[in-house]
Amino acid sequence: NAGVTQTPKFQVLKTGQSMTLQCAQDMNHNSMYWYRQDPGMGLRLIYYSASEGTTDKGEVPNGYNVSRLNKREFSLRLESAAPSQTSVYFCASLWREATGELFFGEGSRLTVL
Amino acid sequence: AQTVTQSQPEMSVQEAETVTLSCTYDTSESDYYLFWYKQPPSRQMILVIRQEAYKQQNATENRFSVNFQKAAKSFSLKISDSQLGDAAMYFCAYRSASWLGGKLIFGQGTELSVKP
């Protein structure tokens, strides 16, 4: 099925551990995004990649790194997880450049103890 | 910096009734897009409706319509004949037409419950 696939769907980490959230899209979209969703704060942009080989910071990039491995894949890495990074993470790709409509993955729930 | 504000954390509507969700935004730009996304309990984000700022006509998609007031920077969503399946979190979002890559800025969300 075409779409945006995120792995893992759930993860529990201890403070200081590292992990990578994987995202892949099979729709040949150029632009991809990582958002985090927290209660009362909506979705906030962490990083985005307008095209293969480029990445840019969003609103809340501290504590994260990203890699645009190829056109399909855009990963998000937490080098040293903190409790403040407990959140639901969404990967998205840009469906239509002209209008900015995003196609979202199903989300990954991360808990940092 | 552009901001999007949804001042209603929660709303409730009776089945078959009409409800309006509010959204305001702040921008100095004249060309942009506005969106309403729906997030049901499954967590999947679903695009409900889109409005281009240069269009004066309000967008409509079946039971969903918007009231776009550009001068007031207001973008409300009206849901008519509410159904149980409309229960979800609704997010208003803004995108500048000049932003390469189309990043969206989201509001805080409004949790809509539908009573049978």
Side-chain angles (χ1 to χ4, degrees), chain A residues 7-8 11 13 17-21 76-79 110:
Chain A
T7 55
Q11 184 72 48
L13 290 176
Q17 287 184 320
S18 62
M19 76 156 297
T20 299
L21 295 173
L76 178 71
R77 182 162 178 81
L78 287 69
E79 291 291 351
L110 174 65

Side-chain angles (χ1 to χ4, degrees), chain A residues 9-10 31 33 35 37 40-43 45 48 50 88 90 94 96-102 104-109, chain B residues 2 33-35 37 39 42-47 50 52 89 91 95 97 99-109:
Chain A
K9 297 287 191 293
F10 300 92
S31 300
Y33 311 81
Y35 285 88
Q37 181 180 7
M41 306 193 75
L43 279 77
L45 183 63
Y48 66 102
V88 178
F90 285 93
L94 183 60
R96 296 180 184 173
E97 173 64 39
T99 59
E101 295 172 37
L102 298 186
F104 284 84
E106 295 182 344
S108 300
R109 180 175 293 279
Chain B
Q2 289 82 358
Y33 302 96
L34 297 165
F35 306 85
Y37 277 86
Q39 185 183 45
S42 66
R43 264 189 354 217
Q44 182 69 43
M45 294 285 286
I46 303 165
L47 178 65
R50 179 187 75 247
E52 292 88 347
M89 181 73 83
F91 291 99
R95 180 230 177 183
W99 287 342
L100 177 65
K103 60 182 180 178
L104 266 65
I105 292 177
F106 285 86
Q108 301 90 333

